[in-house]
Amino acid sequence: MTTPLLSVENLSVSFDTPKGVVEAVRGISFEVGQERLGIVGESGSGKSQTGRAILGLTPGRVSADRIEFDGIDLRNAPARTMRNIRGRRISMIMQDPRYSLNPVMTVGWQIAEAYRVHTNANRREAKQRALEMLVTVRIREPEKVYGLYPHQVSGGMGQRVMIAMMLIPGPDLIIADEPTSALDVTVQLQVLAILDDMVRDRGMGLIFISHDLHLVSSFCDRILVMYGGQIMEVLDTGAMHRAEHPYTKGLLNCLPDLARRQETLPVLERDADWLLSRDGAP
Amino acid sequence: MAPNAGGVKTSSDAAEQDALPVPPSPVLARVAAIAKHASSILLTFIGLTAITFIIGRVMPADPVLAIVGDRASQDVYDAVRLQLGLDKPLIQQYLIYLSNIAQGDFGTSIMTTRPVLDDIIRFFPATLELATIATIFGVLLGIPMGVLAAVNQGRLIDHIIRIIGLFGYSVPIFWLGLVALLVFYAGLGWLPGPGRIEVYYDGIVETRSGIILLDSALQGEWEIFRNALAHLVLPAAMLATFALAYIARMTRSFMLDQLNQEYILTARVKGLSEGAVIWKHAFRNVLVQLITIIGLTYASLLEGSVLTETIFAWPGIGQYITTSLFNADMNAVIGGTVVVGFCFVGINVLSDILYRIVDPRAHD
């Protein structure tokens, strides 16, 4: 692993609800360098809140011993510092372009805006950059797509627009929060390939959040397996078969083997005892 | 109103696939859409006239009796009845009524003995002036209040704005109007009393639009302009309070809804300032919904607020129609109702067009 871009120590996110405090993330620690880190877990495992807490964009209460990005302490950073980091240094790709793009603005304008926030570029320069970016994410008629509204583009194209928008200011770290879960299977692979190329070409760090362990293992260098707001196991993707934790094994067995006939699918094992030991991360 | 009607979409999709080799001309499609829109407006107008016609005929007040009085002889009664065309079949009466309306003829008012249209032209501008200014203030104050409340949801400022809104919404306007007159006119003497203008200024400015502010400004009578403006402050403030309360409440709820959308998170991830997130991203979407609300508020104020017009002796359409109603002056009531109805439909059409311009999802 290279020198870490981002170090997180003992991060917790909790929500005050009328029924009491809900702990979404319970004291997790990890580091990311210029690599591709996968975070895998089921719904409610706290993986999305981890991503949002890094950017300071969760409505929940965040506490951590350390959230450090490139020497900057993000825990109590002033709003101005955070705004300069968001988009420009750390960016985030969201799940569903149907909801994550503003419905009343053209997609081109939204991409250009992401560039203009962090530069002194005028409208024309920003548009030029946005058009180039559309080409980079393999959109064939950039001039035409630039003027389209989100409801006029397909899911796959919308997600490529999202990638263009989040990469245009040239961030060092990308958090991709289920970037392909809302897409058709065939489009998923195209979008992943584009994301893969761009991360590789630009030497960015990537945090890839997903519920799909197989997808993540084919795409990332390392994987954090989360359950109940804690890290269960950290794996190198080359050593998936060496997974020890019963939860990870359960996730791996979720996909039925086409070569082997199986009458019943295994039920994912969950055990509250896993959450008792606070030293989930090795 | 709904931009995507599910049922319609599938059928048009199927049609599109069938007609794939020859795409339909966009100009033709646009003309067809406008024609469809225009015909639905026309139907609404016809419905409006039909309803007012029926109401005019089923009213227990006998129009002949209202003209000739109780002590007229049977001969006179019959002659007037014949003159009014009441012996003809209903459908023919309706058609005559329709063609009269088309020519701007609403009959003669018994009360004022003038053509109803002349009366409306005299009374309506007073309401138009009041309603327009009240709506402008309602929008200018209500929208920022609603946004401020939504952004600070649950904090003190939100509660204060909610209380102001509740006040504007629930305090009876006749009480508020009287108290305002008592304080600012009778007590402090800061503002003039009821009426549109002081009596001694009456008739100096030539009536062109009937809107005193506009007429006096165009003729350079600034003293009269100031006097008319001072008269307008209290009644407009009463109506604006109501408009403001409604607009602020709706803005708050629309804004909260938008702030929870995912594209807001996107905007924040991009590093936009909170002001840009709220006003550039969320508010553009709120505006789409607000257009309809503002249109409806304006239209309802144009109906004339009888209570406000009565308290402030404001010679507006609301007062005109109500007084006519109490005198069984059906020509005036129906004429006024038709004109108000036309305005209502007209403003709805206007807000519909604006909505289509602002919301790209309604373009196609």
Side-chain angles (χ1 to χ4, degrees), chain A residues 11-15 21-29 39-50 210 224-233 245 247-248 251 268-281:
Chain A
L11 170 72
S12 295
V13 181
S14 59
F15 292 86
V21 179
V22 174
E23 288 188 75
V25 182
R26 310 167 188 233
I28 65 168
S29 305
I39 301 184
V40 178
E42 59 189 41
S43 307
S45 60
K47 54 194 195 303
S48 286
Q49 287 305 325
T50 303
S210 175
L224 306 181
V225 180
M226 281 185 76
Y227 174 75
Q230 291 182 22
I231 294 172
M232 294 291 108
E233 192 165 16
H245 201 280
Y247 185 69
T248 317
L251 284 178
L268 192 57
E269 194 187 334
R270 292 181 178 84
D271 194 338
D273 285 348
W274 299 339
L275 303 179
L276 292 179
S277 59
R278 283 291 226 174
D279 52 349

Side-chain angles (χ1 to χ4, degrees), chain B residues 28-42:
Chain B
L28 215 66
R30 175 146 293 191
V31 168
I34 291 172
K36 204 174 137 193
H37 206 65
S39 66
S40 81
I41 296 165
L42 199 69

Side-chain angles (χ1 to χ4, degrees), chain A:
Chain A
M1 203 180 94
T2 48
T3 44
L5 266 172
L6 176 77
S7 310
V8 174
E9 264 173 43
N10 199 20
L11 170 72
S12 295
V13 181
S14 59
F15 292 86
D16 293 324
T17 68
K19 287 179 187 165
V21 179
V22 174
E23 288 188 75
V25 182
R26 310 167 188 233
I28 65 168
S29 305
F30 61 92
E31 288 184 340
V32 198
Q34 285 182 347
E35 61 175 332
R36 286 173 291 178
L37 174 74
I39 301 184
V40 178
E42 59 189 41
S43 307
S45 60
K47 54 194 195 303
S48 286
Q49 287 305 325
T50 303
R52 287 172 197 196
I54 294 165
L55 282 166
L57 287 174
T58 165
R61 207 154 6 95
V62 178
S63 76
D65 293 342
R66 187 169 165 210
I67 306 177
E68 197 176 292
F69 172 77
D70 197 18
I72 308 162
D73 184 357
L74 299 187
R75 283 175 308 168
N76 300 308
R80 199 182 177 76
T81 310
M82 283 314 288
R83 280 208 302 277
N84 286 332
I85 286 173
R86 285 179 204 143
R88 176 75 188 81
R89 309 290 315 269
I90 308 176
S91 208
M92 184 158 83
I93 294 165
M94 255 120 18
Q95 184 170 353
D96 194 338
R98 278 176 302 177
Y99 304 116
S100 52
L101 295 173
N102 193 326
V104 299
M105 296 172 177
T106 63
V107 296
W109 199 90
Q110 294 185 54
I111 298 171
E113 185 190 38
Y115 185 66
R116 279 171 53 202
V117 179
H118 298 290
T119 54
N120 292 323
N122 61 32
R123 273 163 204 273
R124 233 192 52 232
E125 286 163 22
K127 181 174 180 177
Q128 197 50 47
R129 288 282 297 127
L131 288 172
E132 286 163 28
M133 208 62 202
L134 283 172
V135 175
T136 316
V137 293
R138 293 175 215 162
I139 281 174
R140 269 188 223 100
E141 296 174 278
E143 287 278 359
K144 189 183 153 218
V145 172
Y146 189 93
L148 293 180
Y149 287 95
H151 73 281
Q152 294 168 318
V153 302
S154 65
M157 198 184 274
Q159 204 59 321
R160 281 185 277 167
V161 165
M162 186 80 193
I163 292 172
M165 181 162 73
M166 289 312 174
L167 294 190
I168 198 169
D172 308 297
L173 180 67
I174 284 273
I175 300 166
D177 190 354
E178 303 261 12
T180 57
S181 305
L183 305 178
D184 292 340
V185 179
T186 46
V187 183
Q188 277 188 2
L189 294 175
Q190 291 173 16
V191 169
L192 275 179
I194 292 168
L195 189 61
D196 192 26
D197 282 358
M198 298 191 72
V199 170
R200 228 184 268 277
D201 289 351
R202 289 156 195 245
M204 289 184 287
L206 173 73
I207 298 177
F208 192 95
I209 298 170
S210 175
H211 62 275
D212 187 339
L213 183 54
H214 289 274
L215 181 77
V216 171
S217 63
S218 68
F219 192 70
C220 295
D221 308 316
R222 275 192 315 142
I223 300 175
L224 306 181
V225 180
M226 281 185 76
Y227 174 75
Q230 291 182 22
I231 294 172
M232 294 291 108
E233 192 165 16
V234 182
L235 290 164
D236 284 329
T237 34
M240 293 293 289
H241 56 278
R242 265 184 271 153
E244 280 170 3
H245 201 280
Y247 185 69
T248 317
K249 284 182 179 165
L251 284 178
L252 283 169
N253 289 332
C254 279
L255 194 70
D257 189 347
L258 287 178
R260 199 157 41 91
R261 194 177 157 76
Q262 232 172 337
E263 288 299 330
T264 51
L265 282 173
V267 175
L268 192 57
E269 194 187 334
R270 292 181 178 84
D271 194 338
D273 285 348
W274 299 339
L275 303 179
L276 292 179
S277 59
R278 283 291 226 174
D279 52 349

Side-chain angles (χ1 to χ4, degrees), chain B:
Chain B
M1 216 38 147
N4 316 309
V8 181
K9 198 169 181 337
T10 44
S11 67
S12 76
D13 278 353
E16 234 172 63
Q17 269 166 17
D18 288 342
L20 211 58
V22 190
S25 146
V27 178
L28 215 66
R30 175 146 293 191
V31 168
I34 291 172
K36 204 174 137 193
H37 206 65
S39 66
S40 81
I41 296 165
L42 199 69
L43 266 177
T44 315
F45 280 140
I46 290 175
L48 174 68
T49 55
I51 289 170
T52 50
F53 174 78
I54 290 164
I55 291 171
R57 289 301 173 273
V58 299
M59 279 291 285
D62 183 340
V64 182
L65 220 53
I67 293 171
V68 298
D70 297 345
R71 279 175 289 177
S73 68
Q74 189 63 37
D75 289 346
V76 174
Y77 182 93
D78 288 344
V80 171
R81 190 177 139 81
L82 217 62
Q83 205 187 336
L84 292 176
L86 293 174
D87 56 325
K88 295 193 175 82
L90 261 185
I91 186 76
Q92 203 178 341
Q93 287 185 38
Y94 174 65
L95 290 176
I96 292 170
Y97 164 78
L98 212 57
S99 93
N100 284 343
I101 287 180
Q103 296 162 43
D105 179 7
F106 294 101
T108 305
S109 158
I110 303 165
M111 199 174 61
T112 62
T113 68
R114 279 190 305 254
V116 170
L117 190 68
D118 289 2
D119 280 347
I120 291 170
I121 289 172
R122 267 170 56 120
F123 285 98
F124 192 60
T127 295
L128 187 68
E129 192 172 37
L130 197 58
T132 307
I133 290 194
T135 306
I136 290 172
F137 276 98
V139 168
L140 288 183
L141 295 173
I143 289 177
M145 275 169 67
V147 171
L148 200 65
V151 170
N152 295 291
Q153 188 194 7
R155 302 209 193 105
L156 182 67
I157 185 92
D158 183 23
H159 295 307
I160 291 172
I161 288 170
R162 180 177 307 142
I163 289 166
I164 294 173
L166 212 60
F167 179 81
Y169 219 66
S170 49
V171 168
I173 213 153
F174 58 85
W175 179 83
L176 198 63
L178 287 175
V179 170
L181 273 177
L182 194 68
V183 173
F184 295 104
Y185 168 56
L188 299 168
W190 290 355
L191 290 168
R196 287 180 83 187
I197 197 167
E198 293 306 332
V199 190
Y200 44 83
Y201 287 129
D202 235 352
I204 295 177
V205 171
E206 190 193 331
T207 305
R208 283 182 197 156
S209 64
I211 297 167
I212 294 183
L213 288 182
L214 202 65
D215 287 343
S216 59
L218 285 176
Q219 289 164 44
E221 296 281 359
W222 294 107
E223 205 178 320
I224 295 179
F225 179 85
R226 269 197 302 277
N227 187 260
L229 193 63
H231 274 88
L232 204 72
V233 170
L234 282 183
M238 294 306 108
L239 291 184
T241 309
F242 173 78
L244 173 154
Y246 183 54
I247 291 172
R249 205 173 65 148
M250 294 315 282
T251 306
R252 178 183 182 273
S253 111
F254 291 153
M255 195 72 190
L256 281 179
D257 196 37
Q258 292 301 324
L259 286 175
N260 282 323
Q261 300 290 318
E262 200 137 283
Y263 70 82
I264 292 298
L265 183 63
T266 309
R268 291 197 173 120
V269 167
K270 282 157 90 172
L272 290 176
S273 68
E274 207 50 18
V277 170
I278 290 160
W279 290 104
K280 264 192 191 164
H281 281 262
F283 188 68
R284 271 296 308 277
N285 285 276
V286 170
L287 190 63
V288 171
Q289 298 163 290
L290 269 185
I291 285 170
T292 313
I293 296 295
I294 293 168
L296 282 177
T297 309
Y298 188 43
S300 76
L301 289 181
L302 275 185
E303 280 173 30
S305 164
V306 178
L307 291 173
T308 308
E309 287 178 3
T310 307
I311 291 163
F312 291 96
W314 200 264
I317 194 88
Q319 215 186 24
Y320 175 71
I321 294 177
T322 317
T323 316
S324 304
L325 189 64
F326 288 143
N327 290 293
D329 188 351
M330 286 316 287
N331 278 345
V333 172
I334 289 174
T337 309
V338 168
V339 169
V340 166
F342 274 23
C343 281
F344 204 93
V345 176
I347 286 173
N348 271 316
V349 169
L350 204 69
S351 63
D352 211 35
I353 292 170
L354 265 177
Y355 168 85
R356 274 156 207 271
I357 292 171
V358 174
D359 190 348
R361 284 161 295 187
H363 287 179
D364 23 41

